[in-house]
């Protein structure tokens, strides 16, 4: 009787405050059964339309017809490379904050690979390729936030041929990330996640084993292997079908990048790869429809960066482009120039991509003026025809560099990990073979403009041309899931929901 009276009093009080009785009932937060994140390595945005007439029904055409397409999605930092891109998509922030300052950068004064971890060993391999983890990423990502929101009942699995493309999207608290080891011909992981491969992974590797050192990454077979492993993870872990929780499957297709570096953005190899990707996506969507339910999963597709056209292709068609000119010899040539200028060969510590690391301790011991050293280095680098700007990072705010470039350099600079001096090549100028292949890392649209399409659970069809930043993706997914943004997120949700 007392409980009935108490409930009546509470109801009366709520009505008096204008609170609906419906809100008094504890309702479960509605979420999809599964989130599927797809990152296509080096996919240019314009490929969506270049190949549109050749796409099959049910693949990328389905994304464009049934999904919501953000046609003007851009990376907002430098350098636009694989590790930084995957980390930024999933953390909602840039290298300045998440710390993945490139595929390779300096950590504690030493060169390091982005996901190297000497405290772990490989599982499924004895090769050093297994000594990997997400520990170098300094913030959480959307998968971590999903795990937190569900008290770690949600499952998160990352799958890719490249280690960094599986590990960084899956996040710190993932149940597993699986990447490919050529030496064993199968997918592996590390002791960061587990001590032994699950039975389903062992069975997959046995059935799909490749020959050691088989060069299939550059072929459509690499796409097929990735899709098959993703579906095996979907079934092996029963993702989207356990405990009424939302699970997350993070997939990255790496073969598109390997192909682009060798063959460029035009030609039969490129055509073959992207038309094969289209069919792989159709197969994946069909499996998701049958296992999870057509409107029960939320899916997004984007890229970790895009890619420029080959310089010879451009020049043959009377378009500007070329090579920066230093061809991986910049460190040696700078060291020689600094010895002639200052009498020391220890001034240049390292050159990685478009970043120059100075040996600050050596400069101090030699009693040299740091500002004079920086000026001398910049003057020397500007001698290369393909270089447009070179500037000490701590002078960016006062340097005569256009704001869009300056801001991207700032958003990509991570203290104690990035170099002291940044190089900005001329548009369409790269440090790679002139005759064939391409690369990426620039501020320009050909490297920053990537697809972003949402499809599935609670997503209507449509598109927008308004500008969006890659950091908005994680904010958008977290808003749709009603979970907190990642710890370093600077993005803004793109949908009103």
């Amino acid at each position: 009787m007392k409980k009935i009276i108490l409930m009546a009093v509470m109801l009366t009080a709520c009505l008096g405050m204008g609170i609906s009785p419906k809100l008094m009932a504890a309702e479960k937060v509605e979420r999809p059964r599964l989130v599927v994140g797809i990152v296509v390595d080096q996919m240019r945005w314009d490929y969506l339309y270049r190949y549109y007439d050749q796409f099959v029904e049910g693949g990328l055409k389905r994304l464009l017809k049934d999904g919501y397409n953000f046609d003007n999605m851009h990376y907002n930092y430098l350098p636009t490379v694989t590790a930084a891109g995957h980390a930024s998509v999933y953390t909602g922030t840039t290298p300045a904050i998440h710390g993945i300052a490139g595929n390779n950068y300096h950590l504690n004064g030493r060169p390091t690979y982005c996901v190297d971890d000497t405290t772990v060993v490989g599982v499924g391999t004895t090769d050093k390729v297994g000594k990997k983890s997400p520990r170098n990423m300094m913030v959480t990502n959307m998968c971590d936030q999903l795990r937190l929101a569900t008290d770690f009942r949600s499952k998160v699995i990352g799958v890719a041929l490249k280690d960094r493309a599986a590990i960084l999207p899956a996040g710190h608290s993932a149940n597993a990330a699986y990447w490919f080891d050529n030496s064993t011909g199968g997918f592996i992981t590390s002791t960061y996640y587990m001590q032994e491969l699950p039975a389903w992974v062992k069975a997959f590797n046995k059935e799909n084993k490749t020959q050691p050192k088989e060069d299939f990454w550059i072929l459509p077979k690499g796409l097929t292997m990735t899709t098959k492993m993703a579906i095996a993870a979907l079934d092996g872990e029963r993702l989207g079908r356990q405990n009424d929780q939302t699970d997350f499957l993070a997939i990255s297709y790496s073969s598109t990048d390997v192909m682009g570096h060798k063959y460029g953005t035009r030609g039969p190899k490129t055509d073959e790869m992207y038309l094969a990707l289209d069919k792989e996506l159709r197969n994946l969507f069909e499996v998701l429809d049958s296992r999870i339910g057509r409107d029960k999963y939320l899916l997004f597709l984007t890229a970790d960066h895009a890619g420029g056209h080959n310089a010879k292709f451009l020049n043959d068609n009377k378009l500007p482009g070329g090579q920066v000119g230093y061809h991986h010899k910049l460190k040696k040539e700078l060291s020689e120039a600094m010895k002639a200028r200052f009498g020391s060969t220890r001034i240049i510590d390292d050159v990685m991509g478009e970043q120059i690391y100075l040996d600050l301790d050596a400069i101090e011991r030699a009693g040299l003026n740091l500002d004079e050293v920086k000026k001398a280095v910049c003057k020397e680098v500007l001698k290369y025809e393909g270089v447009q700007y070179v500037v000490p990072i701590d002078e960016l705010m006062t340097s005569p560099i256009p704001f869009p470039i300056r801001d991207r350099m700032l958003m990509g600079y991570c203290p104690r990990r990035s170099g002291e001096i940044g190089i900005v090549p001329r548009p369409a100028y790269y440090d790679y073979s002139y005759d064939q292949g391409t690369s990426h890392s620039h501020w320009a649209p050909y490297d920053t403009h990537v697809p972003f399409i949402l499809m599935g659970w609670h997503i209507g069809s449509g598109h927008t041309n308004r500008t969006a930043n890659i950091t908005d993706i994680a904010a958008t997914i977290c808003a749709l899931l009603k979970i907190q943004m990642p710890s370093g997120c600077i993005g803004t949700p793109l949908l009103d929901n």
Side-chain angles (χ1 to χ4, degrees):
M1 184 65 180
K2 291 181 179 179
K3 290 183 179 180
I4 294 174
I5 294 173
L6 179 60
M7 289 179 65
V9 172
M10 291 177 64
L11 178 60
T12 301
C14 287
L15 289 172
M17 292 185 289
I19 300 176
S20 170
K22 293 182 179 180
L23 296 182
M24 295 179 62
E27 296 182 2
K28 182 181 177 181
V29 175
E30 186 182 4
R31 294 185 179 120
R33 293 179 181 176
L34 178 70
V35 181
V36 180
I38 300 174
V39 178
V40 183
D41 205 322
Q42 204 185 126
M43 183 177 182
R44 292 168 57 102
W45 164 82
D46 55 351
Y47 286 160
L48 292 173
Y49 302 101
R50 174 175 172 79
Y51 296 111
Y52 184 84
D53 292 342
Q54 301 176 67
F55 288 151
V56 298
E57 294 297 329
L60 285 163
K61 272 189 178 179
R62 175 178 167 185
L63 272 176
L64 290 167
K65 290 178 178 179
D66 296 349
Y68 197 91
N69 184 8
F70 295 85
D71 263 324
N72 206 14
M73 173 62 69
H74 286 266
Y75 278 87
N76 54 345
Y77 63 82
L78 288 172
T80 44
V81 295
T82 296
H86 282 81
S88 298
V89 167
Y90 279 81
T91 62
T93 192
T94 72
I97 298 171
H98 62 57
I100 304 301
N103 294 332
N104 297 277
Y105 50 85
H106 278 214
L107 184 62
N108 299 322
R110 296 180 179 179
T112 189
Y113 176 61
C114 55
V115 290
D116 272 350
D117 187 347
T118 58
T119 69
V120 302
V121 296
V123 175
T125 183
T126 57
D127 193 271
K128 64 180 181 180
V129 72
K131 298 172 72 66
K132 313 294 180 186
S133 86
R135 285 196 172 103
N136 291 338
M137 190 164 64
M138 300 192 301
V139 298
T140 64
N141 72 8
M142 65 172 100
C143 294
D144 294 319
Q145 296 303 137
L146 177 62
R147 294 267 287 161
L148 280 165
T150 62
D151 290 327
F152 302 95
R153 291 190 296 272
S154 292
K155 283 186 178 181
V156 171
I157 305 291
V159 172
L161 296 182
K162 290 183 181 181
D163 47 24
R164 57 190 182 272
I167 292 169
L168 297 171
H172 296 277
S173 61
N175 299 87
Y178 299 105
W179 57 98
F180 200 84
D181 176 15
N182 283 334
S183 68
T184 65
F187 282 89
I188 63 169
T189 189
S190 78
T191 51
Y192 179 88
Y193 305 99
M194 63 190 71
Q195 298 300 312
E196 184 178 0
L197 289 176
W200 67 264
V201 178
K202 293 179 181 178
F204 179 90
N205 284 339
K206 183 178 180 180
E207 182 178 348
N208 298 276
K209 185 177 178 64
T210 66
Q211 296 301 314
K213 308 302 181 182
E214 180 183 342
D215 188 21
F216 74 92
W217 288 43
I218 201 167
L219 303 172
K221 181 179 177 180
L223 304 175
T224 301
M225 183 73 78
T226 304
T227 302
K228 291 174 70 174
M229 181 60 178
I231 293 172
L234 181 74
D235 292 337
E237 299 292 342
R238 291 193 57 78
L239 299 178
R241 291 161 284 175
Q242 50 94 31
N243 300 328
D244 293 325
Q245 297 297 331
T246 299
D247 296 325
F248 204 118
L249 178 59
I251 308 167
S252 183
Y253 287 100
S254 305
S255 294
T256 43
D257 181 72
V258 181
M259 180 278 304
H261 280 292
K262 186 168 183 177
Y263 295 111
T265 62
R266 289 290 189 274
K269 295 290 186 181
T270 307
D271 299 345
E272 179 187 27
M273 185 66 74
Y274 278 93
L275 295 179
L277 172 67
D278 180 44
K279 293 176 182 176
E280 291 298 325
L281 292 175
R282 177 190 60 185
N283 296 340
L284 177 64
F285 298 163
E286 288 176 351
V287 170
L288 291 169
D289 290 347
S290 63
R291 307 284 206 277
I292 310 301
R294 190 178 179 96
D295 297 318
K296 302 298 183 182
Y297 62 90
L298 172 66
L299 181 143
F300 70 86
L301 180 143
T302 189
D304 57 344
H305 52 76
H309 296 305
N310 171 265
K312 186 177 186 303
F313 165 80
L314 291 172
N315 296 165
D316 286 348
N317 290 279
K318 301 180 180 180
L319 298 171
Q323 294 174 300
V324 289
Y326 40 74
H327 304 297
H328 304 293
K329 59 185 180 181
L330 183 57
K331 180 180 178 180
K332 178 182 178 181
E333 294 184 350
L334 277 180
S335 295
E336 292 173 352
M338 293 305 102
K339 182 179 181 181
R341 172 70 173 79
F342 296 104
S344 173
T345 59
R346 297 292 304 276
I347 289 175
I348 306 300
D349 185 22
D350 207 351
V351 177
M352 288 185 172
E354 280 77 52
Q355 297 188 30
I356 300 172
Y357 293 80
L358 302 178
D359 191 330
L360 300 179
D361 291 337
I363 293 170
E364 184 177 6
R365 286 195 301 270
L368 301 175
N369 182 287
L370 182 57
D371 289 337
E372 289 185 9
V373 170
K374 290 178 180 177
K375 289 179 181 178
V377 172
C378 292
K379 183 177 180 180
E380 195 66 29
V381 176
L382 279 172
K383 293 179 180 179
Y384 294 95
E385 178 187 359
V387 173
Q388 188 161 16
Y389 302 104
V390 55
V391 60
I393 300 300
D394 59 2
E395 297 178 15
L396 269 175
M397 299 303 291
T398 57
S399 296
I401 294 180
F403 290 165
I405 301 175
R406 181 202 68 183
D407 293 347
R408 283 169 170 79
M409 294 178 75
L410 286 172
M411 295 302 284
Y413 174 75
C414 184
R416 295 180 295 280
R417 296 193 178 191
S418 300
E420 286 76 27
I421 295 176
I423 304 171
V424 180
R426 289 170 56 183
Y429 275 69
Y430 285 105
D431 187 18
Y432 67 94
S433 172
Y434 177 78
D435 293 331
Q436 191 170 327
T438 189
S439 193
H440 50 85
S441 69
H442 292 182
W443 63 269
Y446 52 79
D447 277 354
T448 66
H449 194 183
V450 295
F452 176 50
I453 309 175
L454 287 161
M455 185 183 77
W457 181 83
H458 286 194
I459 302 298
S461 62
H463 83 281
T464 178
N465 284 313
R466 68 184 177 95
T467 301
N469 291 324
I470 205 71
T471 49
D472 297 331
I473 292 179
T476 300
I477 300 300
C478 288
L480 288 168
L481 298 180
K482 298 294 189 292
I483 62 176
Q484 183 58 274
M485 296 178 186
S487 57
C489 185
I490 60 171
T492 301
L494 297 174
L495 294 176
D496 295 326
N497 65 306

